[in-house]
Structures are given as C-alpha cells and as structure tokens.
Amino acid sequence: MAAEPEILDELRRLRARVPQLTGALAASVDGLVLAHDTPGVEPEGVAALTATALGVAVRMSDVTGQGDLRELLVRGVHGYVATYAAGRTAVLTLLAQDRVNVGRLHLEGRRAGARIGELVDAEAADVSGTTPAKAVKPATRTGTARTRTTRAPRTTPTNARTTTDS
C-alpha cells in the first residue's frame, strides 16, 4: 500500500498530540492492518477484533435507526478502545489509558480518522482509476421555523409522590 507511510505518520502525530494513547491502528473494515503504532499489542489480532466489533456496532446502529456508524467506544478497567470511521473502507482504532480526556480522544480521533480516510480513499481511487464519491452532507431543514408555545403552570398537589420517592 503506497499510503502506508503517510498513514503511519498520521498515527505517530496523533500519539504525540494525545500522550495517553498507548496504541493506534488503521485497518480495513474487514480486519486487515493498513498501518499500526501499537507497541506490546498484536496488531493483526486487534484489527480482526475491530472488524468483529464493527460488524455488531454497525448492525446495532442500523437496527436502532441511528444512521451510519461513526465511532465505537469501549471502556475497560484499564482504559479505552475507540474506533472511528476512516473513509469508506477503513477504521482507526485507538488504545488509551483510563486517565485520557475522552473529549480530546474523540476530537483527535475524528480528525485523524478523516485524514486517514482521505488517504485510503484516494489510494483506492488511484487503483481503480475512478474518482472517489464525495461525502454527502446531512440535509438542512427548509421551511418555516418552529416556535415554542408557553405552557400553563402545573397544578400538582404539593404532597404528591413521585417515582423517585421511597
């Protein structure tokens, strides 16, 4: 894969931006390693498990009507495993310590996933000789703006029990 050095550079830059990362791996959605920076972890095994988890997560997202899968987060006692979509045919999996700032992990993971997706999709287009499909933006609302109506005050007795009362 010609894009492998560029993907590996992106993984290393990502690990420099988020010091609590213990590993980063780019893989195809079917579990083949594209590039990895995962000291002490078997990248082929992580890629294969990522593909398996991805299959379940995609199905869950589809069944519940949440749309295309964007990311998957698993929290264990010792840290996190986060997987982000990276273009049409790849994923980025990050391993992080339990003290990582999860918001920062998502921010940097999404950015790196987008960059890796561009690299992988561009290479796929070069190999097939076609131009990659452009990402479709979500539809924007058209029509009249919704307005809020005010509600009348509630007339509940002051000694009414709620479901949280014992």
Side-chain angles (χ1 to χ4, degrees), residues 7-149:
I7 295 171
L8 189 54
D9 285 344
E10 183 63 33
L11 296 180
R12 289 184 178 142
R13 285 192 300 271
L14 176 61
R15 288 199 57 202
R17 289 190 307 266
V18 183
Q20 294 80 20
L21 286 183
T22 58
L25 171 118
S28 65
V29 293
D30 56 356
L32 300 175
V33 176
L34 302 176
H36 68 91
D37 183 9
T38 55
V41 176
E42 184 60 38
E44 288 81 13
V46 172
L49 287 171
T50 295
T52 302
L54 188 63
V56 172
V58 164
R59 181 77 176 125
M60 176 69 82
S61 182
D62 184 45
V63 165
T64 59
Q66 302 304 316
D68 292 339
L69 179 77
R70 297 294 169 94
E71 56 200 39
L72 172 65
L73 182 67
V74 176
R75 182 178 183 205
V77 173
H78 302 293
Y80 295 88
V81 179
T83 300
Y84 302 92
R88 295 175 315 206
T89 61
V91 293
L92 169 66
T93 297
L94 304 177
L95 311 175
Q97 299 170 356
D98 64 336
R99 60 189 177 92
V100 72
N101 178 322
V102 177
R104 177 76 186 267
L105 177 69
H106 284 320
L107 177 71
E108 296 294 346
R110 291 169 186 153
R111 286 179 180 168
R115 175 70 180 127
I116 290 168
E118 290 171 0
L119 294 169
V120 172
D121 289 349
E123 179 160 332
D126 288 346
V127 169
S128 67
T130 62
T131 57
K134 295 203 176 212
V136 178
K137 288 188 175 184
T140 56
R141 285 187 191 218
T142 58
T144 60
R146 292 177 24 179
T147 58
R148 288 189 176 259
T149 57

